[in-house]
Amino acid sequence: MTPADNQEANGDQAPAETLTGHRRIHAYLKILESSPGVYRMLDAESRVLYVGKARNLKARVSSYARPTGHSPRIARMISETASMMFLTTRTEAEALLLEQNLIKQLKPRYNVLLRDDKSFPNILVAKDHAFPQIKKHRGAKKEKGAYYGPFASAGAVNRTLNQLQKVFLLRNCTDATLESRTRPCLLYQIKRCCAPCVGHVTEEEYAALVQDAEMFLQGRSTNIQAELAEQMQAASDAMEFERAAALRDRIRALTQVQSAQGINPRGVAEADVIGLHMEGGQACVQVFFIRANQNWGNHDYYPRTGGTQSVGEVMRSFLGQFYDGKEPPRQLILSHDIEDRELLVEILSERAGRKVEILVPQRGEKAELVAGAVRNARESLARKMSESAAQSRLLAGLGEAFDLGGPPGRIEVYDNSHIQGTNAVGAMIVAGAEGFVKSQYRKFNIRGEDLTPGDDFGMMKEVLMRRFQRLLKEDPDRQSEAWPDLLLIDGGAGQVSAVAEIMAELGVEDVPFVGVAKGVDRDAGKEEFHRPGQRPFALRHNDPVLYFIQRLRDEAHRFAIGAHRQKRAKAMGATPLEEIPGVGATRKRALLAHFGSAKAVSRANLADLKAVDGISEGLAERIYDHFNEGG
């Protein structure tokens, strides 16, 4: 979007730089127009405090220029304001879009922020094969096929896929696996697949199964049951009892699926049901995904609030950020009404290319769905607040145990994983007041070519160098929350000494770090803690802080091992074909299907290479030269 009549106003356009607060804001009124747009409030160090949109910029900013009549949060924000920036737009809808984009990009302190903004998985019925594969899909929808979703979580997708396999016997194996099999796999034996790999079903029969599965995903499962019942009766009349028994089993599985899906609203075909609960300055939003009259799971969110926003303001901010980049369903069913409802409907409808409704029901089935979402939000927030209180006590205990001068806000834990030095990776996990912050986890592929295989000290040096050199480059003044308050290192005195040298070399000597060694007999509960220049010490074996540290260390170990396994699996699956320009996944698959292995491709003559479907004469020559003349 490119707003028209763009203009910015900063400190150079307003009077004396010494003005702050409402007087500073008042000074901007003489240069503002009565047009829609977006405004930013900045502090003395030009950090963005707040981003807002307005139908009339001058009228909106004038409300901040009043010296009294503000909530404590707004009054504090106004007092910190040293300058403002403005951007006018053609319409209020453009202003709303720009506001949400800037909030997500700048993350201002006084705005409501949606912190968990991941994509959601879908089910893909691939249509690039005679026997379509059914599988979980996340990300851009580039593959040919039909997509069904979104689902609230990977678990919800996996449960549905499991149900589809039981009822419709569709394959979930890759095309390469399908082509290479000579006998049915275990899924066929347990009645989860119809074994198209060995010809136990024709293309027409399999296509009928795929059609039934898609009908189920579209909410037409009762039609399928009726058809299966008719087929079972026909098979029984024809004395094909084995086929009749198989159809009976599928009907039973479909009945179990329908009874296990929980709430399946009859009057809501496609909607997101969104319930909000606020308590103690915190908020929880529950989103239930209703598609094809089926409940496809729910997900909870905990947007960051200033503690004094109204439920309508939190809801509006959540919707604007949640659907930025996501296709909205036909209906949004809300627990609380919002300002600018018509404006948001206009934006979402334009984005979806069809009408989108926003409803706040007061009675009936939709109101019951909303009440259920609010109840879940209330219960989830209560659990989170309880967990947060326990986490706060553990962080306070950790700060006391390691003499940190207070509870750490951000803990980074480091670990390495390798097998005799091969496929080495470093891992960093992050924990804080809200537990593990998985969006901040990082893995480091060890690049050092001069490292001795298995040199844990050298690996740790590379990881910390890369981590803190980037921090020093991106945030030398330590204004962001990315700087840790404590480092936990897997190791004893040797690792701690090495880390001390690394941090001194970087010039970062004020970040405390502790080595966690397994202790006597390497038993959990007997850990020793090492700090530079101090004697090792231990905590009581039943100390909750000790258990907390063990969880941190185990999580780092789990993440490091997982990263190592991924790297090893990728290396094992790699072939020399991937080094040849022009040989992508499709051509690689064609070559392997034709010759059977990468080694056979390397030994093939030029004429045989040219005979492979999809391999041009020029590419065949390139492949031949790669293996016979070094490329």
Side-chain angles (χ1 to χ4, degrees):
M1 179 191 70
T2 306
D5 304 324
N6 291 352
Q7 71 175 40
E8 289 195 358
N10 54 33
D12 298 330
Q13 292 172 293
E17 290 290 335
T18 53
L19 292 178
T20 58
H22 67 89
R23 289 191 302 161
R24 177 60 159 156
I25 295 171
H26 189 275
Y28 285 105
L29 295 179
K30 62 184 70 172
I31 64 171
L32 283 177
E33 301 176 2
S34 300
S35 58
V38 173
Y39 58 94
R40 279 174 274 183
M41 307 175 83
L42 293 81
D43 66 10
E45 297 180 12
S46 297
R47 291 175 297 197
V48 179
L49 298 170
Y50 184 79
V51 174
K53 69 95 186 164
R55 180 183 297 123
N56 182 323
L57 275 173
K58 188 167 187 174
R60 180 62 173 160
V61 173
S62 67
S63 69
Y64 293 114
R66 298 195 308 266
T68 59
H70 305 289
S71 69
R73 167 179 158 270
I74 298 299
R76 188 167 62 250
M77 179 180 74
I78 290 172
S79 69
E80 295 177 21
T81 300
S83 62
M84 294 185 73
M85 298 180 68
F86 304 94
L87 190 63
T88 60
T89 60
R90 284 187 294 263
T91 65
E92 191 181 0
E94 285 185 350
L96 180 58
L97 285 171
L98 182 59
E99 176 200 34
Q100 297 306 326
N101 288 337
L102 288 173
I103 289 173
K104 291 185 74 171
Q105 176 187 346
L106 300 173
K107 297 179 172 56
R109 188 192 319 165
Y110 287 97
N111 281 98
V112 176
L113 295 182
L114 175 59
R115 289 172 288 189
D116 181 6
D117 191 24
K118 67 177 184 180
S119 62
F120 292 99
N122 290 265
I123 285 178
L124 168 61
V125 180
K127 298 294 180 68
D128 57 353
H129 195 281
F131 297 102
Q133 176 193 12
I134 187 166
K135 61 182 178 180
K136 178 172 61 181
H137 177 89
R138 194 194 291 269
K141 298 178 180 179
K142 296 180 179 179
E143 293 187 55
K144 183 180 178 182
Y147 293 85
Y148 297 93
F151 287 80
S153 64
V157 170
N158 292 335
R159 285 192 298 273
T160 304
L161 285 173
N162 188 38
Q163 294 161 357
L164 289 171
Q165 282 183 281
K166 285 181 180 179
V167 178
F168 304 108
L169 311 179
L170 301 183
R171 72 176 180 98
N172 65 357
C173 59
T174 64
D175 293 350
T177 301
L178 178 79
E179 302 295 341
S180 65
R181 292 208 66 86
T182 58
R183 60 180 182 177
C185 67
L186 179 62
L187 288 176
Y188 173 75
Q189 307 296 335
I190 62 174
K191 298 181 181 180
R192 297 287 181 88
C193 181
C194 57
C197 53
V198 292
H200 282 196
V201 62
T202 66
E203 289 186 20
E204 293 76 15
E205 291 169 337
Y206 192 86
L209 293 173
V210 171
Q211 185 179 9
D212 286 347
E214 294 195 82
M215 286 175 62
F216 172 80
L217 290 169
Q218 293 163 6
R220 294 151 62 191
S221 56
T222 53
N223 297 349
I224 300 169
Q225 263 182 312
E227 291 177 7
L228 290 176
E230 288 180 10
Q231 293 174 25
M232 182 181 69
Q233 186 61 48
S236 178
D237 293 343
M239 305 184 86
E240 297 175 0
F241 299 120
E242 188 172 342
R243 172 173 163 74
L247 289 165
R248 179 203 60 202
D249 291 342
R250 289 178 60 193
I251 293 171
R252 285 179 178 173
L254 186 56
T255 303
Q256 290 173 354
V257 166
Q258 291 168 334
S259 63
Q261 280 181 324
I263 301 172
N264 292 324
R266 296 180 180 179
V268 181
E270 179 184 327
D272 286 349
V273 181
I274 303 173
L276 167 64
H277 179 72
M278 296 181 64
E279 183 179 338
Q282 299 186 51
C284 176
V285 180
Q286 278 278 347
V287 183
F288 281 77
F289 299 91
I290 307 296
R291 301 293 184 273
N293 295 96
Q294 301 171 41
N295 177 9
W296 283 1
N298 63 297
H299 198 284
D300 50 359
Y301 297 88
Y302 302 91
R304 191 193 78 187
T305 70
T308 58
Q309 291 97 334
S310 66
V311 289
E313 184 180 354
V314 174
M315 180 67 83
R316 186 187 78 85
S317 297
F318 173 82
L319 294 175
Q321 294 173 58
F322 184 73
Y323 290 106
D324 182 31
K326 294 186 181 71
E327 182 178 344
R330 296 185 183 278
Q331 291 185 335
L332 307 184
I333 304 176
L334 311 183
S335 61
H336 299 84
D337 205 354
I338 59 170
E339 294 182 10
D340 309 317
R341 192 207 291 194
E342 293 78 10
L343 193 61
L344 190 57
V345 165
E346 176 189 339
I347 291 171
L348 294 179
S349 298
E350 182 179 350
R351 185 176 293 164
R354 51 175 165 73
K355 185 179 179 181
V356 174
E357 290 184 286
I358 295 181
L359 309 174
V360 187
Q362 301 302 314
R363 63 183 64 85
E365 184 183 37
K366 294 183 176 68
E368 291 175 5
L369 290 172
V370 166
V374 172
R375 183 179 64 253
N376 276 271
R378 182 173 60 251
E379 293 170 356
S380 296
L381 184 59
R383 286 193 297 270
K384 185 172 179 64
M385 292 174 71
S386 175
E387 292 167 1
S388 297
Q391 185 79 355
S392 297
R393 290 193 295 270
L394 289 172
L395 291 174
L398 192 64
E400 184 178 342
F402 295 150
D403 298 322
L404 301 180
R410 179 185 174 101
I411 306 167
E412 294 183 357
V413 190
Y414 292 85
D415 197 4
N416 298 323
S417 184
H418 59 89
I419 294 179
Q420 295 181 340
T422 62
N423 300 311
V425 293
M428 175 192 83
I429 70 156
V430 178
E434 298 183 355
F436 294 117
V437 189
K438 295 193 176 183
S439 62
Q440 297 290 310
Y441 286 16
R442 296 292 181 269
K443 59 183 178 182
F444 302 82
N445 288 316
I446 303 300
R447 301 170 182 165
E449 298 180 358
D450 56 343
L451 288 178
T452 303
D455 180 4
D456 285 328
F457 290 171
M459 293 179 196
M460 184 59 66
K461 179 175 182 178
E462 179 178 330
V463 168
L464 290 175
M465 280 288 188
R466 287 163 58 184
R467 165 66 178 151
F468 283 92
Q469 282 174 348
R470 182 169 182 172
L471 263 182
L472 288 166
K473 179 181 178 181
E474 294 180 351
D475 186 20
D477 297 327
R478 307 193 186 189
Q479 300 295 331
S480 72
E481 298 177 356
W483 280 86
D485 300 308
L486 173 66
L487 305 184
L488 291 181
I489 311 296
D490 185 30
Q495 287 280 33
V496 168
S497 297
V499 171
E501 293 178 10
I502 296 165
M503 302 302 273
E505 184 178 341
L506 289 165
V508 181
E509 300 184 64
D510 57 344
V511 175
F513 55 91
V514 177
V516 183
K518 286 283 178 43
V520 180
D521 300 326
R522 301 184 64 81
D523 287 340
K526 299 181 180 179
E527 285 83 358
E528 291 184 343
F529 302 100
H530 298 258
R531 298 190 66 183
Q534 298 183 18
R535 293 176 60 85
F537 67 96
L539 297 174
R540 298 190 323 272
H541 74 279
N542 60 348
D543 192 330
V545 174
L546 176 60
Y547 297 144
F548 179 49
I549 294 170
Q550 289 171 355
R551 288 208 316 273
L552 294 173
R553 182 199 59 205
D554 292 345
E555 173 68 0
H557 194 52
R558 179 201 64 79
F559 184 62
I561 289 176
H564 166 71
R565 286 175 176 165
Q566 288 179 348
K567 185 175 182 180
R568 191 174 74 227
K570 187 176 181 180
M572 290 173 65
T575 71
L577 298 175
E578 295 172 356
E579 302 171 6
I580 306 172
V583 178
T586 302
R587 287 171 176 157
K588 174 187 169 184
R589 188 161 55 243
L591 287 165
L592 293 175
H594 187 90
F595 292 102
S597 68
K599 181 177 286 187
V601 175
S602 70
R603 294 174 177 172
N605 59 44
L606 188 57
D608 289 338
L609 290 169
K610 291 178 181 178
V612 179
D613 289 340
I615 304 298
S616 66
E617 185 174 339
L619 182 56
E621 292 176 356
R622 196 181 309 152
I623 296 169
Y624 183 83
D625 290 343
H626 178 83
F627 289 112
N628 292 277
E629 300 177 10

